[in-house]
Structure formats: structure tokens, C-alpha cells
Amino acid sequence: MDFGPNQEFYVLKGECFEKLDEKYRYKLCPFDRSDQDSTNIGRWDGWEKEGENINYRVMWYRNGNSCWQGPTRSTKVELICGAENRIISASEPAKCEYAYIFSTPAACTEVQQENDIHDEL
């Protein structure tokens, strides 16, 4: 299993993180699954690919439970540098397609910190 170029995301394996909003309890278990209450909204499918390159800032969870008259559920997880492991936000931007922003110290690599600085400029 690919835990990043320097195995930096290995520390997340076997852990689960939750976020409550006004309607749902979201749960992310990196390298395993993503849930909304008791509904599976994706199983680990891999890192986002950009051509032949791997984007270690985006995780994909696909082939979750089927939606009523829709596709199987999927979750895109954007990783950002942060002091603690936690789901910052959870949303459903399209039917049965979920998006998390997840902060983790594991995302605080030198390259990502440089990219974050350039993004802010």
C-alpha cells in the first residue's frame, strides 16, 4: 500500500476520525473507508492521479453504498497541513459525491509547505 513518498501517511492507518454537523456524523478511516452515519460513502481507492504523477494531497474513496437512482457513493479527501488529525469540513457538492478537508501533520512536508506558501501569494 502506498503511504506517500516517504511513508509519511502510514501513521494514519488504523485510525478513524469523526465530525458531527447539524445532520450527520461523518467518519474517515484513512486507507480503509468513509461513512456518513451508518452509510458507507466510499472504500479506499487510492491517491488522485494527474497523468502519470500521483497527487499525495488528495485521497479517493469509491464504490460506497449505492444511491437511490444514482451512482455508488464516493468521497474525495483533500489533505492540508495542520497541527492535529481532524476532519475540518464535510460536504456533498453533488448527489452521492462527498468531499472532506482533512488536516494532518503528515501533510506538512517541505514540498507541501512551499506549495501552500505559493498558493497564498
Side-chain angles (χ1 to χ4, degrees):
M1 188 173 286
D2 183 356
F3 296 110
N6 298 307
Q7 303 296 306
E8 59 269 31
F9 298 106
Y10 180 78
V11 297
L12 300 174
K13 185 171 174 35
E15 301 290 327
C16 292
F17 308 93
E18 293 187 357
K19 177 170 184 60
L20 289 171
D21 72 7
E22 23 334 302
K23 290 176 70 175
Y24 302 106
R25 176 187 304 268
Y26 292 95
K27 184 176 180 180
L28 174 66
C29 301
F31 305 102
D32 185 15
R33 62 185 292 137
S34 176
D35 297 303
Q36 180 191 55
D37 293 332
S38 62
T39 301
N40 179 268
I41 59 173
R43 292 174 183 79
W44 170 248
D45 190 52
W47 299 100
E48 182 167 85
K49 293 191 173 61
E50 298 170 343
E52 304 238 346
N53 298 318
I54 296 174
N55 178 359
Y56 289 102
R57 296 186 78 159
V58 178
M59 301 173 125
W60 278 101
Y61 295 78
R62 294 186 171 100
N63 300 311
N65 291 69
S66 293
C67 266
W68 172 252
Q69 297 182 341
T72 58
R73 290 173 168 87
S74 64
T75 306
K76 178 181 181 180
V77 180
E78 180 185 347
L79 302 175
I80 62 169
C81 176
E84 62 181 334
N85 295 319
R86 69 184 187 105
I87 300 170
I88 302 290
S89 68
S91 62
E92 188 178 0
K95 182 179 179 180
C96 304
E97 295 177 5
Y98 302 84
Y100 293 172
I101 296 177
F102 184 76
S103 97
T104 176
C108 299
T109 65
E110 195 171 310
V111 171
Q112 287 174 329
Q113 287 173 349
E114 287 175 16
N115 287 342
D116 290 343
I117 290 169
H118 291 294
D119 289 347
E120 291 173 6
L121 298 178

